[in-house]
């Protein structure tokens, strides 16, 4: 990707184990998106990670990426 602006990332982890390390999930997802959706994960200025329960077979991770404007 050529996008080089500042970003907000939200991860919704449905069915992630209660003992799962959410920062590892965050790193996995943001590294995988690097080069595809943005140039570098250092562009991320804000992030939120949420864990939700769900039924077996409905496990998933939803990723929301938004461009943000940083005002001085």
């Amino acid at each position: 990707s050529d996008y080089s602006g500042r970003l907000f990332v939200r991860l919704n982890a449905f069915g992630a184990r209660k003992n799962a390390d959410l920062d590892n999930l965050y790193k996995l997802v943001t590294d995988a998106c690097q080069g595809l959706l943005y140039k570098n994960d250092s562009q991320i200025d804000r992030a939120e990670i949420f864990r939700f329960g769900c039924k077996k077979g409905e496990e998933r991770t939803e990723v929301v990426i938004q461009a943000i404007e940083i005002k001085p």
Side-chain angles (χ1 to χ4, degrees):
S1 171
D2 292 334
Y3 186 76
S4 60
R6 310 313 301 168
L7 298 169
F8 162 71
V9 173
R10 177 183 169 133
L11 301 182
N12 297 323
F14 291 88
R17 294 182 323 272
K18 291 187 185 208
N19 64 344
D21 199 350
L22 290 182
D23 63 330
N24 288 339
L25 175 63
Y26 171 81
K27 186 68 174 153
L28 175 74
V29 170
T30 56
D31 284 351
C33 292
Q34 189 168 272
L36 297 171
L37 302 176
Y38 44 79
K39 285 185 179 182
N40 191 287
D41 60 6
S42 66
Q43 294 170 245
I44 300 168
D45 287 327
R46 182 175 172 203
E48 297 177 340
I49 309 168
F50 296 91
R51 181 190 336 250
F52 299 97
C54 70
K55 294 179 183 177
K56 187 171 175 81
E58 295 181 359
E59 302 88 358
R60 66 194 180 280
T61 299
E62 297 174 349
V63 181
V64 177
I65 300 173
Q66 295 176 321
I68 57 175
E69 182 179 337
I70 303 297
K71 296 182 180 181

